[in-house]
mmCIF file of all heavy atoms in Angstrom:
data_model
loop_
_atom_site.group_PDB
_atom_site.id
_atom_site.type_symbol
_atom_site.label_atom_id
_atom_site.label_comp_id
_atom_site.label_asym_id
_atom_site.label_seq_id
_atom_site.Cartn_x
_atom_site.Cartn_y
_atom_site.Cartn_z
ATOM 1 N N GLY A 236 -83.188 -38.021 -78.407
ATOM 2 C CA GLY A 236 -84.171 -38.851 -77.669
ATOM 3 C C GLY A 236 -83.574 -40.160 -77.269
ATOM 4 O O GLY A 236 -84.191 -40.896 -76.472
ATOM 5 N N ASN A 299 -82.697 -39.542 -72.682
ATOM 6 C CA ASN A 299 -83.272 -38.599 -73.585
ATOM 7 C C ASN A 299 -82.350 -37.489 -74.105
ATOM 8 O O ASN A 299 -82.605 -36.294 -73.820
ATOM 9 C CB ASN A 299 -84.515 -37.999 -72.922
ATOM 10 C CG ASN A 299 -85.421 -37.153 -73.766
ATOM 11 O OD1 ASN A 299 -85.353 -37.302 -75.033
ATOM 12 N ND2 ASN A 299 -86.189 -36.240 -73.171
ATOM 13 N N VAL A 300 -81.317 -37.842 -74.835
ATOM 14 C CA VAL A 300 -80.310 -36.813 -75.182
ATOM 15 C C VAL A 300 -80.863 -35.866 -76.241
ATOM 16 O O VAL A 300 -81.790 -36.193 -77.032
ATOM 17 C CB VAL A 300 -79.016 -37.532 -75.753
ATOM 18 C CG1 VAL A 300 -78.402 -38.408 -74.664
ATOM 19 C CG2 VAL A 300 -79.234 -38.320 -77.044
ATOM 20 N N SER A 301 -80.419 -34.629 -76.197
ATOM 21 C CA SER A 301 -80.789 -33.569 -77.137
ATOM 22 C C SER A 301 -79.564 -33.058 -77.876
ATOM 23 O O SER A 301 -78.478 -33.496 -77.596
ATOM 24 C CB SER A 301 -81.423 -32.485 -76.353
ATOM 25 O OG SER A 301 -80.530 -31.801 -75.549
HETATM 26 C C1 NAG B 25 -87.014 -35.463 -74.058
HETATM 27 O O1 NAG B 25 -86.533 -34.127 -74.094
HETATM 28 C C2 NAG B 25 -87.291 -33.178 -74.832
HETATM 29 C C3 NAG B 25 -86.610 -31.894 -74.788
HETATM 30 O O2 NAG B 25 -85.253 -31.974 -75.163
HETATM 31 C C4 NAG B 25 -88.700 -33.130 -74.267
HETATM 32 O O3 NAG B 25 -89.501 -32.251 -75.008
HETATM 33 C C5 NAG B 25 -89.313 -34.543 -74.240
HETATM 34 O O4 NAG B 25 -90.536 -34.482 -73.554
HETATM 35 C C6 NAG B 25 -88.385 -35.502 -73.458
HETATM 36 N N1 NAG B 25 -88.942 -36.888 -73.571
HETATM 37 C C7 NAG B 25 -88.975 -37.693 -72.469
HETATM 38 C C8 NAG B 25 -89.532 -39.063 -72.815
HETATM 39 O O5 NAG B 25 -88.605 -37.352 -71.405
#
Side-chain angles (χ1 to χ4, degrees):
N299 188 23
V300 300
S301 69

